[in-house]
Every structure is written in C-alpha cells, then in structure tokens.
Amino acid sequence: SSPASATTTTKSARRTPSVDTSKMTPAELRRWRNRVSAAESRKRKRLLVQSLERQVASLASSQSALRSRLAHLATENSELRQREVALLNQLRERVAKANVQRRSMSAKAQ
C-alpha cells in the first residue's frame, strides 16, 4: 500500500507528514490524496462546527440578556401607564373642581 518515508515538498505533503509519493502507483497516489483531502475536509468541518457552536452560545447569551431587558422594560412600561392613568384622573378631578368653583364664583357675582 502506501510507503511512509519522507522527502517530498509538494503542497499536499506540507499539510501532512512527509510521504515519498514518487514510489506510489497512480492508484496508491490517488487513494493517498483522497485520504489527505478527506482528513482536511473533516478538520474544516470540525472547525466550522466549533465556530458555529461558539456563535450559538453567544447568541443564546444575547437572547437571554435581551429577554431580561424586555421583561424589565415591560414592567416599567406597565408602571408608567398606571401612573399616567392616576395623573390623568387627578387632573380631571382638579379641572372638575376648578369648574365647580368657577361656576360658584360666577353665580355669586350675578
């Protein structure tokens, strides 16, 4: 099968342990190149998966922080709406009271 002695400096050989491809038959050379290519492909895939896993973890963390912020803002929004309603009711009461006083003053002036 494939001899594993060492001395070529082809592009493929630099990526893997040195192999003397000059003594390989064409079929052995093809199998060896295929093996090297498959190993490189697996390595690229492994690196891609690791990168994607890091990205998923980062996005999950961001999502969690955003959900927390959303919950906080929803609570704050609800509290502000309740305060708005209370202030509007106070304003209506004051306007109504002022109208009553104005009518009373107007009636006394006549």
Side-chain angles (χ1 to χ4, degrees):
S1 296
S2 42
S5 45
T7 59
T8 36
T9 56
T10 64
K11 185 176 178 183
S12 296
R14 281 179 290 198
R15 292 179 283 188
T16 60
S18 296
V19 174
D20 186 1
T21 57
S22 65
K23 295 181 182 177
M24 290 184 184
T25 66
E28 290 172 331
L29 186 59
R30 186 179 62 250
R31 282 192 301 271
W32 178 76
R33 285 183 180 151
N34 187 46
R35 205 170 19 255
V36 168
S37 178
E40 290 170 351
S41 177
R42 287 189 300 273
K43 182 178 180 180
R44 282 191 308 272
K45 183 177 180 180
R46 186 173 49 255
L47 292 174
L48 175 63
V49 168
Q50 289 171 350
S51 173
L52 291 173
E53 287 171 342
R54 283 190 301 273
Q55 188 177 1
V56 165
S58 174
L59 291 172
S61 176
S62 295
Q63 181 186 35
S64 177
L66 289 170
R67 284 185 190 274
S68 176
R69 178 149 169 75
L70 176 63
H72 171 74
L73 291 173
T75 300
E76 183 179 357
N77 186 32
S78 177
E79 291 168 356
L80 289 172
R81 286 182 185 273
Q82 289 174 4
R83 185 168 178 223
E84 177 189 26
V85 168
L87 289 172
L88 282 172
N89 287 337
Q90 283 180 356
L91 180 61
R92 286 185 187 116
E93 289 173 9
R94 287 183 184 179
V95 167
K97 190 174 183 180
N99 286 340
V100 168
Q101 287 176 347
R102 194 170 23 109
R103 283 187 202 123
S104 173
M105 295 293 259
S106 179
K108 288 182 185 176
Q110 292 177 0

